[in-house]
Amino acid sequence: MTHLAAEVRPLEDVVAAVVPGVVSVQAGRARGTAFFIGPDRLITNAHVVGDAATVILQAGENRWRARVVTVATGSDLAVLQLDAGGRAPAVLPLGAPADVRVGQEVIAVGSALGVLSSTVTRGIVSAVRRVGTVTLIQTDAAINPGNSGGPLVDRAGRVIGVTTLKAGAQAESLGFAVAAEHASALLERPRQTATDRVTPSASDGPATGLEAVLGGTPPASADAGRDAGGAAYEEVLAAAGRQADQLDASWTRNAPGCAPDIRTPARRPWLVVLAEDAPLPVRNGCRDWIASMTAAARSIDLRLRQAAEEARRAGVYPGALRESRRRHGLDWDGWDR
């Protein structure tokens, strides 16, 4: 297990030491980032875990289940604990307020867009701001959806902040991380059997308080739009799944007599009409049937492509779209293109 030293180190050495301690988080449809601060404990954002009691963590081929131990919405932080038997590949040390200086170089590590794990961006500390009871570190390091909960580290490899949000679409290079001192305070709370949900003491969280700092312009809060986009996509999939079941039944009834020589997918065999550019070899008297199957399949195809595009514009991660299709039995490779 790797522990990081406090001296300033070459950038590539810091990245090599930090990345193994950073993991992707999946809590239902929500995706984000977390990092190890102990052999079996991690820090992430409260808005990543939401109301979940457990989450799935992944780093490369490693996959763990973790319990949500503590949630503090006021500082947008949460503590996770690995299930028995899990162990951190690397532990990242938390820095202190004295470690933060405006102008110093910093590195953000996270799962950009929820699927690009171990994405590293570089910037500086642009400012240190106090919002209510929360200290926020402002940085120009690129912060993308999916980075939430990841570490913002200095050139010594110390975590000085937990990436939490970026300002709205009209702003550039305005990212914010909750200062590591809040994570340190959260770790001092006694361990509970059930999730310890800390009542906010001032605001509802950093995103709310930043509205005042940004002159009334609310920061980008992609999570609500992402959830709505995911829910809308699920509705389309549910309707498409019902129609797909009808096509399955029609194929089962008619294909043995009409298209016995066509090789089809094991699931949703009618998808072959979308996969093949040339007309399918069907027997005489079956042209109307295959034409109706093709029209229905193309209708589903068009609806799913349009719905996927709308969901992507809402910020729904590609991995979440694939998982939703899998649940509805619509996991055809053609819809990943």
Side-chain angles (χ1 to χ4, degrees):
M1 185 167 59
T2 304
H3 287 270
L4 303 179
E7 74 275 6
V8 174
R9 303 166 65 183
L11 181 63
E12 58 271 26
D13 290 351
V14 175
V15 171
V18 168
V19 165
V22 182
V23 301
S24 300
V25 180
Q26 182 174 349
R29 286 200 299 268
R31 293 172 187 257
T33 305
F35 59 93
F36 284 99
I37 42 76
D40 63 350
R41 303 187 89 190
L42 305 94
I43 291 288
T44 187
N45 280 145
H47 77 258
V48 170
V49 301
D51 295 327
T54 61
V55 298
I56 300 298
L57 310 175
Q58 186 159 1
E61 298 300 317
N62 294 319
R63 188 177 174 90
W64 306 271
R65 184 178 295 275
R67 183 168 65 89
V68 180
V69 176
T70 309
V71 176
T73 55
S75 56
D76 195 23
L77 294 178
V79 180
L80 311 176
Q81 182 169 342
L82 291 184
D83 282 355
R87 192 167 181 82
V91 171
L92 310 189
L94 295 177
D99 298 328
V100 182
R101 303 182 314 280
V102 174
Q104 75 181 94
E105 190 172 30
V106 290
I107 303 160
V109 183
S111 301
L113 304 181
V115 292
L116 301 175
S117 60
S118 303
T119 296
V120 179
T121 58
R122 180 174 65 170
I124 64 168
V125 172
S126 304
V128 178
R129 304 188 183 280
R130 190 76 175 176
V131 179
T133 61
V134 179
T135 300
L136 291 170
I137 298 171
Q138 181 181 326
T139 179
D140 65 350
I143 305 297
N144 298 293
N147 278 106
S148 293
L152 186 72
V153 302
D154 63 14
R155 286 293 296 271
R158 297 170 298 202
V159 178
I160 62 170
V162 183
T163 303
T164 190
L165 56 88
K166 68 174 182 178
Q170 303 303 316
E172 294 289 340
S173 303
L174 280 178
F176 295 88
V178 177
E181 63 198 76
H182 297 289
S184 298
L186 207 58
L187 293 170
E188 294 174 359
R189 294 179 66 87
R191 297 196 185 196
Q192 307 288 332
T193 302
T195 302
D196 179 19
R197 297 192 178 272
V198 183
T199 303
S201 57
S203 68
D204 290 333
T208 302
L210 267 180
E211 293 182 17
V213 175
L214 299 177
T217 303
S221 180
D223 295 318
R226 186 178 302 118
D227 288 345
Y233 189 61
E234 285 281 346
E235 289 183 8
V236 173
L237 287 176
R242 290 190 292 271
Q243 186 178 3
D245 291 341
Q246 295 173 358
L247 295 186
D248 286 346
S250 177
W251 191 274
T252 300
R253 286 194 308 270
N254 296 288
C258 285
D261 300 324
I262 297 177
R263 297 181 62 182
T264 63
R267 191 175 191 188
R268 307 297 193 195
W270 49 269
L271 283 170
V272 70
V273 304
L274 297 178
E276 299 292 338
D277 293 330
L280 294 172
V282 295
R283 292 178 175 174
N284 291 335
C286 296
R287 293 293 176 189
D288 289 345
W289 168 72
I290 198 67
S292 67
M293 291 292 293
T294 301
R298 287 176 177 169
S299 173
I300 292 176
D301 180 49
L302 178 61
R303 275 185 289 153
L304 291 194
R305 291 186 187 279
Q306 290 174 336
E309 180 59 30
E310 291 173 3
R312 280 191 287 267
R313 285 200 296 265
V316 181
Y317 304 130
L321 297 180
R322 286 194 296 272
E323 177 61 21
S324 293
R325 289 196 300 272
R326 185 194 64 77
R327 287 198 301 271
H328 290 275
L330 294 167
D331 46 345
W332 178 47
D333 289 345
W335 287 317
D336 285 328
R337 302 181 192 127

